[in-house]
Amino acid sequence: MSAWLLPDHIADVLPSEARHIEELRRALLDAARAHGYELVQPPLLEHLDSLLTGTGEALDLQTFKLVDQLSGRTLGLRADTTAQVARIDAHLLNRSGLTRLCYCGPVLHTRSERPLASREPLQFGAELYGHAGPEADLEVIELALACLRAAGMRRMVLDCGDVRIVDALLDGLQLPAALVQRLHAALAAKDVATLREAGAALPAATLRALLALTELHGDASVLEQAERVLPPSAALQRALADLRRLAQSVQQALATSLDGSHASGGARAPDSAATKAAIDIEIGFDLADLRGYAYYTGLRFSIFAAAHPGQVPQELVRGGRYDEVGAVFGRCRPAAGFSLDLKELVAVLPRPAPQKAICAPWGHDAALRRAIADLRAQGEVVLCALPGHEHEVEEFECDRALVPHDGAWVLQALPPSP
């Protein structure tokens, strides 16, 4: 095997794409900061028993494991950052009130989550700790949408569900954990045949309700349909009511933000009409989508997005409420958040045009060196042509050249590239 070959689903990121990823990283971190989220940087590896406790147990098969040569203990390379941030909130910050944290860094997976996906995602996420109300759910959704808008997404679909709905249907049945897991997996896949087989021993009304869930996906009318066809219970009604209020709140928040209104005076941004016309956001529901059921404790959502109207939206964001995430660290605080993979996000965005740059000759002339330094101080990219070489770059396109004129160095426009 050639020494330069990389493992399957692991790849180098080359110049133009790497710059695009870095620009997106900065844009998303700026969006999080604008919402009051503080940046943390957890380590890439930890003791395995810290990574794989509590909700982290679901990541066991996705986690690379190795032995620490200093202590002899088993370490794990993180497959997700959420549990690490919960540890920081519980043990290092230990705040009594709200805590808003964001992060961005690589995670490693033993196997790709979907065909052609990288095993080394660059995970960006945000977590809000300390508030159990729907306001926290709304805030993290608003931030997730703001991040996608900052990335250039113009068509988005917010898909919502709630794990409490299935919990309400199975409440009191004392089912084996393996059976519950199989039922959840069948619901998430909308696999009716497996669902009938796995639920054969369930009460007939419960099985009918689970089968009905596989059809309960679509617009807001799904919630009214669920109230009609599912066995009534207080827990079910609370979950459906919370979803309904959340959708209404998201719509109101989006209408305000896209209109460019401000609480202080309601002033309208000059380009708000164009912005509103360019951004299309739909809200839908899928009451059977239980991916990550062992992780979430209430609301779960996905955001599908496309960079232009003709593009099919792809799932880019997952998030929701996971109030048990800090329990293993001694602080069972309310928590809500989301994450996305910057590499996946870049893959669905148009490739950016090369950045405009200035070509300059190489030389020791003091006036030339001052001219180059002044241009770079102004934010310009200046490429110096080393003797005997031409520029071979993808990231930059020289549209001007620094040339001598009447004893000074001046900029001269270059003809566009063919």
Side-chain angles (χ1 to χ4, degrees):
M1 178 180 294
S2 299
W4 55 267
L5 288 178
L6 295 175
D8 291 342
H9 302 288
I10 299 291
D12 294 306
V13 182
L14 300 182
S16 58
E17 184 180 5
R19 175 62 62 181
H20 197 186
I21 290 174
E22 174 60 15
E23 289 173 349
L24 280 177
R25 185 190 69 85
R26 295 178 186 180
L28 268 55
L29 288 175
D30 286 346
R33 183 176 183 177
H35 285 71
Y37 284 71
E38 300 172 276
L39 178 64
V40 292
Q41 295 180 337
L44 184 60
L45 76 168
E46 286 197 36
H47 293 125
L48 190 64
D49 52 3
S50 175
L51 284 177
L52 301 185
T53 51
T55 55
E57 291 178 3
L59 298 171
D60 188 9
L61 295 179
Q62 279 284 60
T63 301
F64 281 100
K65 304 169 180 73
L66 64 155
V67 175
D68 185 0
Q69 297 298 313
L70 295 180
S71 67
R73 296 180 61 182
T74 303
L75 305 178
L77 294 171
R78 67 177 178 221
D80 184 80
T81 315
T82 304
Q84 292 182 298
V85 179
R87 174 182 54 76
I88 290 173
D89 173 67
H91 279 297
L92 299 182
L93 298 179
N94 198 28
R95 297 170 181 170
S96 58
L98 287 179
T99 301
R100 293 178 172 94
L101 301 175
C102 64
Y103 57 88
C104 187
V107 297
L108 291 169
H109 296 162
T110 57
R111 62 192 71 183
S112 54
E113 290 189 329
R114 56 182 68 88
L116 304 180
S118 171
R119 290 196 293 162
E120 189 188 11
L122 183 57
Q123 189 180 53
F124 169 87
E127 318 289 339
L128 195 162
Y129 299 96
H131 187 71
E135 298 85 358
D137 301 331
L138 176 62
E139 179 174 308
V140 297
I141 289 176
E142 283 186 298
L143 175 54
L145 292 170
C147 287
L148 292 179
R149 290 202 300 270
M153 292 298 174
R154 291 296 176 262
R155 183 185 177 197
M156 289 173 270
V157 179
L158 171 64
D159 185 73
C160 300
D162 197 310
V163 301
R164 294 175 299 170
I165 293 174
V166 174
D167 290 344
L169 299 179
L170 300 179
D171 185 43
L173 295 182
Q174 303 297 318
L175 301 177
L179 176 57
V180 173
Q181 182 177 1
R182 192 178 180 198
L183 291 171
H184 279 93
L187 283 168
K190 295 181 176 56
D191 185 347
V192 174
T194 299
L195 189 59
R196 288 185 183 277
E197 179 185 349
L202 297 176
T206 300
L207 180 56
R208 283 196 303 270
L210 294 177
L211 292 170
L213 282 181
T214 63
E215 302 294 331
L216 292 176
H217 51 88
D219 59 22
S221 64
V222 164
L223 303 180
E224 282 69 31
Q225 185 181 355
E227 289 183 328
R228 293 194 302 271
V229 302
L230 299 180
S233 69
L236 176 67
Q237 294 303 315
R238 280 195 302 273
L240 294 175
D242 286 349
L243 284 175
R244 187 178 293 109
R245 283 193 296 269
L246 178 70
Q248 293 170 349
S249 297
V250 170
Q251 289 171 334
Q252 292 170 357
L254 289 173
T256 301
S257 64
L258 295 183
D259 279 342
S261 299
H262 302 280
S264 59
R268 192 180 183 86
D271 60 345
S272 60
T275 301
K276 187 172 183 180
I279 298 176
D280 177 22
I281 300 177
E282 303 174 19
I283 301 176
F285 303 88
D286 188 343
L287 304 190
D289 188 353
L290 295 172
R291 288 171 296 171
Y293 74 93
Y295 192 72
Y296 297 112
T297 58
L299 168 75
R300 54 137 300 277
F301 66 86
S302 298
I303 303 178
F304 298 76
H308 54 79
Q311 185 180 16
V312 177
Q314 297 189 34
E315 185 181 27
L316 296 175
V317 175
R318 290 183 187 177
R321 176 161 289 279
Y322 25 81
D323 291 341
E324 306 296 329
V325 69
V328 70
F329 303 113
R331 296 193 75 202
C332 191
R333 299 228 293 162
F338 70 90
S339 66
L340 60 86
D341 177 10
L342 279 174
K343 291 182 179 178
E344 282 191 342
L345 180 56
V346 163
V348 300
L349 289 171
R351 184 173 179 174
Q355 183 177 350
K356 300 302 182 183
I358 298 168
C359 295
W362 175 259
H364 295 287
D365 179 73
L368 171 62
R369 306 312 301 168
R370 283 196 301 270
I372 292 173
D374 289 344
L375 288 168
R376 287 173 174 165
Q378 296 167 22
E380 296 281 6
V381 174
V382 182
L383 298 178
C384 289
L386 298 182
H389 295 276
E390 295 183 358
H391 299 301
E392 293 187 51
V393 295
E394 297 179 1
E395 190 176 334
F396 307 109
E397 179 182 356
C398 289
D399 63 342
R400 291 154 295 164
L402 196 59
V403 298
H405 180 73
D406 291 338
W409 291 91
V410 297
L411 288 178
Q412 182 181 80
L414 294 176
S417 301

